[in-house]
Amino acid sequence: VVDESELLTVPDGWKEPAFTREDNPKGLLEESSFATLFPKYREAYLKECWPLVQKALGEHYVNAALDLIEGSMTVTTTKKTFDPYAIIRARDLIKLLARSVPFEQAVRILQDDVACDIIKIGSLVRKRETFIKRRARLLGPKGSTLKALELLTNCYIMVQGNTVSALGPFSGLKEVRKVVLDTMKNVHPIYNIKTLMIKRELAKDPELRTQSWERFLPKFKRKNLKKRKEPKKKNTKKEYTPFPPPQPESQIDKELASGEYFLKERQKKRKQMEEIKAKQADAIKRRQEERNKAFIPPKEKPVVKTKKASTEKKIDIEAIKEKVKNAKKKKLGALPEEEVKLKMAADEKKKKKK
């Protein structure tokens, strides 16, 4: 009984056999053609390398035409063309050439195990400044991030204008597209590169091929999300009541309530003047208090009396002098042999006495 996992996996080093004339001896019935426009700055380069393009496509019996007036490139099948997919590859070749990919790299698209992907990134970000910053982030300092991505995916990547052109194996193109789109969504490419490096190491282990890799892959969380600023004045909704608010009192109602309505005009004026004078007096008082603040002396810290040095412990000068004399008498280094013998004899006498 054959194991199911062995049926699903492709053996290492297996390649699909090349498509030959024997597979399609009668050729194609209809003529197919594709055309693409190229920018003005690519004209000089295309003019220079066009004979090489014609030669490469001629091997697959595909015609190529360059129109400098219109600014377009056209590829067409001939009666000798036997590979129906050759025209699709030729179309991709002229697309890559239009997107600033050098001929040496673009010509690889004619191989069976190489594909291409042109990722449009221009419309993924609203602000132009943000778009330029994120595109630069994809390149990295001195193109180091892009180089790391190329090495991990085995793809050639070209960042040009509003597009990213990638050329390489299908598995690598899938990873390149994910990294490019994530970068435009403000996910730094270094996170995806780290994941790709771990995947590359895991692929080397034959035991892990059939297992899930979720537990090994890092999970990155967004930490620097800015919290929404809360407004200073929060509008709290009042409870709904079906009754309308009470009618505000008019000036006459207020005057009637205070009894001011029945006063004479002269009395009203006098009252107003008194109120104004009271306000003025209050303002003058407050202003005077503010001015007087400058003349109020600050509170001083209480003076801490330092304790006198205690005269109880007097220095014994005579004792110090004695110590210095004894130190001078002592000889530095090892004792001479005679002194050592005398010392040993004295020690032995002491022991005998004991």
Side-chain angles (χ1 to χ4, degrees), residues 335-352:
L335 294 166
E337 285 181 16
E338 290 173 6
E339 283 185 26
V340 170
K341 284 174 184 177
L342 288 166
K343 206 174 187 183
M344 283 171 78
D347 290 340
E348 280 174 12
K349 280 177 185 179
K350 279 179 186 178
K351 282 178 184 178
K352 281 175 185 179

Side-chain angles (χ1 to χ4, degrees), residues 62-171:
V62 176
N63 282 343
L66 178 69
D67 189 347
L68 295 173
I69 297 159
E70 197 182 307
S72 68
M73 292 179 277
T74 313
V75 285
T76 320
T77 56
T78 60
K79 287 179 181 179
K80 287 183 181 179
T81 312
F82 60 87
D83 186 358
Y85 201 71
I87 188 67
I88 303 295
R89 291 212 182 95
R91 177 202 67 183
D92 289 342
L93 172 66
I94 59 171
K95 263 190 186 179
L96 290 168
L97 288 168
R99 293 309 313 140
S100 295
V101 176
F103 171 75
E104 292 78 18
Q105 291 290 343
V107 78
R108 285 170 54 214
I109 196 71
L110 300 173
Q111 297 169 19
D112 283 343
D113 57 344
V114 178
C116 77
D117 190 8
I118 294 168
I119 307 152
K120 291 178 182 177
I121 56 170
S123 58
L124 297 174
V125 185
R126 284 184 183 178
K127 288 184 181 177
R128 186 71 186 167
E129 293 83 11
T130 314
F131 167 72
I132 291 161
K133 279 180 186 176
R134 288 183 190 173
R135 188 177 64 183
R137 197 182 291 167
L138 185 64
L139 291 165
K142 296 179 182 177
S144 57
T145 308
L146 197 69
K147 191 70 188 167
L149 195 60
E150 282 182 349
L151 291 167
L152 288 164
T153 56
N154 296 323
C155 292
Y156 171 81
I157 306 162
M158 181 74 188
V159 181
Q160 175 68 26
N162 293 334
T163 60
V164 177
S165 308
L167 187 80
F170 289 99
S171 57

Side-chain angles (χ1 to χ4, degrees), residues 316-327:
D316 194 355
I317 297 162
E318 294 300 321
I320 293 164
K321 281 180 180 179
E322 197 67 36
K323 275 184 184 179
V324 171
K325 277 180 184 179
N326 291 337

Side-chain angles (χ1 to χ4, degrees), residues 167-179:
L167 187 80
F170 289 99
S171 57
L173 292 175
K174 191 180 175 185
E175 296 294 347
V176 170
R177 179 170 272 274
K178 185 184 179 295
V179 174

